[in-house]
Amino acid sequence: MKIKIQLKEKNRIQNGMIGLFFEDINYAADGGLYAEMLENRSFEAVKATGKACDYQTEYDGGYAWSAYPATARARLRCVTGSPLSEENPHYMRLETAQDGEGIANKAYDGIYLKKGMDYRLTFWARCVAFEAEFLFFVEKDGVRYAQGKISASAGQEETYNHFRKYEAVMEAQESVERGTFALCLSKSGIVELDFVSLFPGDAVEGIFRRDLFHMLKELRPGFLRFPGGCIVEGNTLANRYRYKDSLKPVWARKNNWNRWAVHETKEENGYEGDYSHYNQTLGLGYYEYFLLCELLGAKPLPVLNVGFACQYQSDELVDRDSAAFREFMQDGLDLIEFANGGEDTPWGAVRARMGHREPFGLTMLGIGNEQWQTEKADFFERYEIFEKAIHEKAPDIRLIGSAGPDVTSERYTKAWEFYHAHENQKNFVYAVDEHYYVKPEWLYGHVDFYDGYSRKVKVFSGEYAAHPSNGFNNPKANTLDGALSEAAFLTGVERNADVVVLASYAPLFARLGYTQWSPDMIWFDGASCYGSPSYYVQKMYACNMGDAVLDTCGGEKEAAAQGIYYSVSLAEESGDVIVKAVNSEEREQTLNLELPKEWKNCGKAQAVILTGAGRDVYNCMEEPDGAVPYEREYDALEGIAMPPLSFMVLRIKTGKG
């Protein structure tokens, strides 16, 4: 297969085009990137059940906690009356009968400790009838792997409702998996406890789980869209993500149930799913999201609720003429001020008090998550109201619209008719968010999807993934073939970079055994993590984006007929020509690259190649290297052998940088 590369520039490529989409699904936040190791630290857990338009929650404050030891005669009660915070009014009243009794936390599937690592414990306590020591430790099968103690008199003098804050550190003497954390009283007594929290000492900024953070850092993302996803809307409006609740001290952030707690509930399971206690502490809040963007070098892209609950799960909305709707709109304006305002502004001052005096530099906002127009759901009118209000306050903010949940239905068609009706209105919409979760065959067959799009309105490929299969807890869904189809589709996205300006795979994270949606980019448990083949496709793209797409004389269709998909770009600073090519066939194929005469002296190509033993190959915790990239060098630009079922990135130095 010959690829004839010309000097002619076809399209410019948006800087930072490949980014990340983060949603708290599959325990991506609590139990994932947010490094908190304990569950239900504020004793505010609720159990969520129900079906579309009929959801219920019941308080279950003792969830994840139990008496320690199992034979203890201690009395545990979740009570309220004089709380640490009004937002989270419950706390644990512990009455022990014998020395050494206390409470233990199940911590998802148990505590993982790394030998030599420090672990930071924080808790608030009101000593009703207790004057001795608090004992804390992690044990398994009667062996204590880390432990410490702190005197009841050692709490901070600053108190809230007579709760005192205690902080201590314990070092892991040995590594252990699936251990049990316990907090006990050295002498019998009565203590009221709240916000019992444990973090690893190596958490990035004391917030983010280090191995997961570095998986993101290695992707070099151009942007981060947050906090979702359906999380933005909630299954009910009361359940929606309220970012202002996350701009308080962590112990005063109102607990919320997670809309994914009721995913796939049905009559046969009594409308109670496997993850009915999936809650949100909001420990990973908007300040932390903006900080994460800064640490990753990614532009923040928060998404606003326009007054709808999730349209898949509810018909609940607020009328756009109501005071409630004006509150939604004001939240958007206040968010801009929080991110970009000076310390002399009300919400800029909140940011400064949280520790970030300089603005975060917000440039983009999503208006609605995955909304579409219906007879009742007036999304288009709401978009216009938000657009006008936001651009009156911040004319330069780039707005992201929604094309609905797919790219095949009337919902999608109506959305594009709406945006094109405003295409001559300056700054009306920066890009329209398109979502598609499809079979690999669809992606292979639609590499030219954007070839015929109008160039007047831009596109954000905001949520996409190949779904060879799906379902709960299914790492096998992340096949090599699925990843190759995504790589093939992205060649068409890159070639159409004049219309597609942003792109992000979804979902990002999945905790093994706690996963509502498969496939996913990064899989993890309490101890470690690994990248799926799709992760490596994203990494190979994001780390090898050029500045301009180069013309290849229209050979793409001929190549696709042979199972080869490619795009070519130029990195102007280095002068590298970057060739991305997918071989979707189960046989080796050969590439012959013909460069312009000005670059005839180029004789070698550095390659990164992703491949595996078959279409259904996937990575897993036991075998994380089933399909991972490797490097090699080709001495000539002709006769480049592409392995069967492979994605290759070739970098050719021209010396023209």
Side-chain angles (χ1 to χ4, degrees):
M1 178 68 216
K2 177 176 282 190
I3 301 178
K4 187 175 182 179
I5 301 169
Q6 296 186 310
L7 276 172
K8 180 181 177 183
E9 180 181 303
K10 188 176 180 181
N11 295 313
R12 300 298 298 178
I13 298 173
Q14 167 83 20
N15 183 35
M17 175 184 182
I18 305 295
L20 299 173
F21 163 64
F22 187 98
E23 180 172 8
D24 188 3
I25 182 174
N26 306 327
Y27 288 71
D30 293 298
L33 183 62
Y34 185 54
E36 172 66 74
M37 301 174 72
L38 303 182
E39 281 191 88
N40 189 24
R41 63 188 179 184
S42 292
F43 307 101
E44 295 294 338
V46 296
K47 178 181 178 180
T49 56
K51 60 181 179 178
C53 299
D54 183 23
Y55 294 103
Q56 313 87 42
T57 61
E58 56 184 289
Y59 176 68
D60 191 6
Y63 171 75
W65 295 96
S66 59
Y68 180 90
T71 57
R73 292 186 287 128
R75 186 183 185 197
L76 281 62
R77 290 186 295 152
C78 291
V79 300
T80 190
S82 299
L84 174 62
S85 72
E86 295 298 327
E87 295 86 351
N88 295 313
H90 297 92
Y91 45 93
M92 175 69 76
R93 185 176 174 92
L94 170 65
E95 302 177 27
T96 62
Q98 301 181 72
D99 298 354
E101 292 183 342
I103 55 175
N105 190 271
K106 83 178 190 68
Y108 306 100
D109 46 10
I111 293 284
Y112 167 79
L113 299 182
K114 184 178 180 180
K115 182 178 180 179
M117 178 78 72
D118 284 340
Y119 294 84
R120 174 170 49 89
L121 174 68
T122 303
F123 64 96
W124 292 76
R126 184 162 50 208
C127 297
V128 179
F130 180 66
E131 297 180 348
E133 292 178 319
F134 292 100
L135 310 176
F136 48 91
F137 49 85
V138 172
E139 73 167 28
K140 183 177 181 180
D141 298 330
V143 178
R144 294 187 178 180
Y145 291 85
Q147 58 186 319
K149 59 185 178 181
I150 186 170
S151 170
S153 63
Q156 292 185 5
E157 290 301 318
E158 183 180 3
T159 64
Y160 294 83
N161 262 345
H162 303 292
F163 276 95
R164 300 178 70 176
K165 185 179 182 181
Y166 295 81
E167 295 179 291
V169 173
M170 58 180 174
E171 180 184 345
Q173 301 305 307
E174 297 289 341
S175 296
V176 65
E177 293 188 25
R178 301 179 185 272
T180 297
F181 168 82
L183 176 63
C184 300
L185 309 185
S186 62
K187 302 290 184 181
S188 61
I190 303 173
V191 172
E192 291 171 342
L193 298 165
D194 207 351
F195 194 78
V196 183
S197 170
L198 185 67
F199 271 77
D202 69 343
V204 176
E205 296 292 319
I207 301 168
F208 308 109
R209 183 171 143 173
R210 181 166 291 273
D211 58 345
L212 299 183
F213 172 84
H214 281 293
M215 291 286 283
L216 301 185
K217 186 76 171 176
E218 289 180 3
L219 288 169
R220 301 183 195 173
F223 64 90
L224 175 69
R225 175 180 168 225
F226 61 87
C230 299
I231 290 294
V232 174
E233 306 147 320
N235 276 1
T236 67
L237 283 174
N239 171 235
R240 73 185 187 271
Y241 192 103
R242 301 170 188 256
Y243 79 85
K244 288 179 179 177
D245 286 348
S246 76
L247 304 182
K248 299 176 180 180
V250 288
W251 44 267
R253 297 182 185 182
K254 185 176 176 62
N255 187 76
N256 191 16
W257 64 280
N258 190 303
R259 64 84 71 223
W260 294 103
V262 291
H263 186 53
E264 295 293 331
T265 57
K266 54 194 71 172
E267 185 176 2
E268 48 264 43
N269 60 19
Y271 299 107
E272 180 180 330
D274 294 338
Y275 305 103
S276 58
H277 287 92
Y278 191 178
N279 283 207
Q280 293 177 295
T281 67
L282 297 187
L284 187 56
Y286 261 43
Y287 179 83
E288 290 77 18
Y289 279 124
F290 278 106
L291 183 61
L292 178 62
C293 290
E294 191 170 79
L295 294 169
L296 294 174
K299 293 180 180 178
L301 175 46
V303 181
L304 300 176
N305 188 314
V306 295
F308 292 153
C310 177
Q311 287 180 257
Y312 271 120
Q313 306 297 334
S314 172
D315 56 7
E316 190 178 352
L317 55 79
V318 298
D319 190 277
R320 71 172 189 270
D321 295 323
S322 67
F325 177 75
R326 290 191 290 275
E327 182 181 341
F328 279 88
M329 193 167 62
Q330 188 61 48
D331 279 349
L333 301 178
D334 292 343
L335 176 58
I336 295 171
E337 185 174 283
F338 172 76
N340 293 349
E343 295 179 69
D344 57 343
T345 64
W347 288 100
V350 172
R351 182 198 66 242
R353 287 195 297 271
M354 294 184 78
H356 203 282
R357 297 183 62 183
E358 294 301 315
F360 281 117
L362 176 68
T363 61
M364 297 184 289
L365 264 180
I367 307 301
N369 163 51
E370 197 175 58
Q371 266 61 65
W372 64 88
Q373 188 84 355
T374 69
E375 186 174 329
K376 182 179 180 180
D378 50 350
F379 172 64
F380 298 158
E381 292 81 0
R382 291 164 189 253
Y383 182 93
E384 292 182 88
I385 294 170
F386 269 74
E387 185 275 327
K388 182 179 179 181
I390 289 169
H391 282 148
E392 283 179 355
K393 178 183 179 73
D396 295 331
I397 292 289
R398 291 175 163 180
L399 301 182
I400 307 297
S402 168
D406 58 61
V407 292
T408 57
S409 71
E410 185 182 9
R411 297 173 292 199
Y412 158 83
T413 303
K414 284 183 176 180
W416 275 107
E417 289 173 353
F418 168 70
Y419 295 113
H420 280 304
H422 295 271
E423 65 186 25
N424 294 321
Q425 182 177 335
K426 184 180 179 182
N427 211 24
F428 182 75
V429 64
Y430 173 57
V432 178
D433 186 8
E434 295 188 343
H435 296 177
Y436 27 88
Y437 298 102
V438 293
K439 295 295 183 183
E441 295 78 14
W442 190 95
L443 292 175
Y444 284 128
H446 288 80
V447 170
D448 61 353
F449 189 66
Y450 293 111
D451 289 3
Y453 266 51
S454 166
R455 271 41 193 167
K456 292 186 177 180
V457 182
K458 307 303 182 186
V459 173
F460 171 25
S461 296
E463 295 183 34
Y464 68 86
H467 278 217
S469 61
N470 50 29
F472 285 48
N473 298 303
N474 185 16
K476 294 180 180 180
N478 278 109
T479 66
L480 174 63
D481 189 42
L484 295 180
S485 71
E486 292 155 5
F489 187 76
L490 285 173
T491 64
V493 167
E494 183 176 61
R495 288 200 308 272
N496 287 281
D498 58 332
V499 65
V500 185
V501 291
L502 303 165
S504 52
Y505 178 100
L508 180 56
F509 284 121
R511 181 166 181 140
L512 289 159
Y514 292 82
T515 302
Q516 300 83 52
W517 183 287
S518 311
D520 305 284
M521 193 194 297
I522 299 168
W523 292 79
F524 65 94
D525 60 15
S528 57
C529 60
Y530 68 87
S532 68
S534 293
Y535 171 84
Y536 294 109
V537 166
Q538 294 295 312
K539 182 177 180 180
M540 290 165 69
Y541 261 92
C543 296
N544 293 283
M545 294 300 290
D547 301 291
V549 178
L550 296 181
D551 195 355
T552 56
C553 301
E556 297 87 1
K557 291 188 183 299
E558 178 187 349
Q562 300 179 45
I564 292 178
Y565 307 86
Y566 68 84
S567 60
V568 182
S569 63
L570 175 66
E572 292 171 342
E573 184 175 345
S574 66
D576 288 2
V577 171
I578 305 170
V579 179
K580 301 183 184 76
V582 175
N583 177 12
S584 65
E585 297 294 311
E586 295 179 350
R587 58 185 173 87
E588 182 180 288
Q589 298 206 65
T590 301
L591 289 184
N592 295 302
L593 306 181
E594 182 180 325
L595 271 62
K597 61 182 179 180
E598 292 86 347
W599 295 337
K600 283 295 185 182
N601 292 330
C602 303
K604 291 187 178 182
Q606 301 294 326
V608 179
I609 303 169
L610 174 68
T611 189
R615 292 190 185 277
D616 295 333
V617 165
Y618 64 95
N619 297 338
C620 60
M621 198 62 76
E622 296 74 24
E623 296 183 31
D625 300 331
V628 297
Y630 65 91
E631 298 180 3
R632 68 163 293 180
E633 182 177 274
Y634 292 93
D635 292 328
L637 302 184
E638 293 186 351
I640 295 176
M642 289 193 71
L645 300 174
S646 65
F647 171 43
M648 174 184 292
V649 177
L650 292 157
R651 294 191 74 113
I652 307 159
K653 294 204 171 291
T654 67
K656 301 297 182 182

